[in-house]
Amino acid sequence: MCLVVFALKLHPDFPLVVLGNRDEYYARPTAPAQPFADAPEVFGGRDLEKGGTWLAVSAAGRFAAVTNFRSPLGRRSGLSRGALVRAALQPHPDPAAWLQQLDRPLYPSFNLLLGDRREVLYTSDASAAVLRLRSGIHGLSNGRLDEPWPKVRRACARLEQLLSAPELDMEAAFSILADRATAPDAELPDTGVPLDLERALSAAFIAMPGYGTRASTVVLAHRDGRWRFAERTFGETGLLAGATDVWLPPGGGTP
């Protein structure tokens, strides 16, 4: 993924609200959100090239998501980051301990989130440290957690507004992810790519020739244990290609 913003323990009905965009080459084969054929306890979109996923929920009632770390110092080669999400959603008795023992050098630079409606954990390839996140709104793009990139700041502010409404409006949630506004040059991070590309990548929703936002996802963990998983997929120029909106039973199993 290239943008994830989430709210932990702020909404009376949904103690975890997650919004995310996956940016990828349009030519990369991808399956829409569904139970995995070889792991039906996992529900999410599927990268058909490497077999992993960018965001998914499990029958154990957990979610996981990964983003790449875009920096001149970031590792470029290794195993698929999407495999981290699949591995994270196995039924680990102690998720924090599992995150600590990750063999980080095996993967290109990454950020990894793992959590449920009670807590969210964060780690990265930079160290074995595992953070238990405080209640509130957090954001992650291709920097590190809560690094104030313009798209992160903007999406977090809009998520705060979304949560202040009497009802959680799904269309408003997707509109946060559909934001194509780019940041002023003075606010852009320096990740080692040319300025025109840095500018294009500063939007929450990207629609470039050959590359862009392939999926927007809203995941809601209800206080009763159910999960709502809504995904919209896109093709070239950001044209809507498909939509999924399901309620998963308590624990996040197959609908």
Side-chain angles (χ1 to χ4, degrees), residues 47 69 75 121-122 138 195 229-230 242 248:
D47 170 24
F69 177 64
R75 288 193 302 274
L121 307 173
Y122 165 79
H138 298 271
L195 177 60
F229 196 111
L248 305 175

Side-chain angles (χ1 to χ4, degrees), residues 52-65:
T53 182
W54 52 97
L55 184 156
V57 299
S58 76
R62 292 180 181 144
F63 95 99

Side-chain angles (χ1 to χ4, degrees), residues 2-53:
C2 289
L3 176 65
V4 187
V5 294
F6 57 98
L8 180 62
K9 298 180 181 177
L10 293 183
H11 193 279
D13 292 324
F14 301 105
L16 179 63
V17 176
V18 182
L19 281 62
N21 273 346
R22 182 220 184 193
D23 303 333
E24 185 52 86
Y25 291 102
Y26 294 116
R28 187 159 182 160
T30 300
Q34 59 190 291
F36 284 13
D38 56 347
E41 73 280 4
V42 177
F43 189 96
R46 190 81 180 267
D47 170 24
L48 298 179
E49 183 173 299
K50 299 291 186 180
T53 182

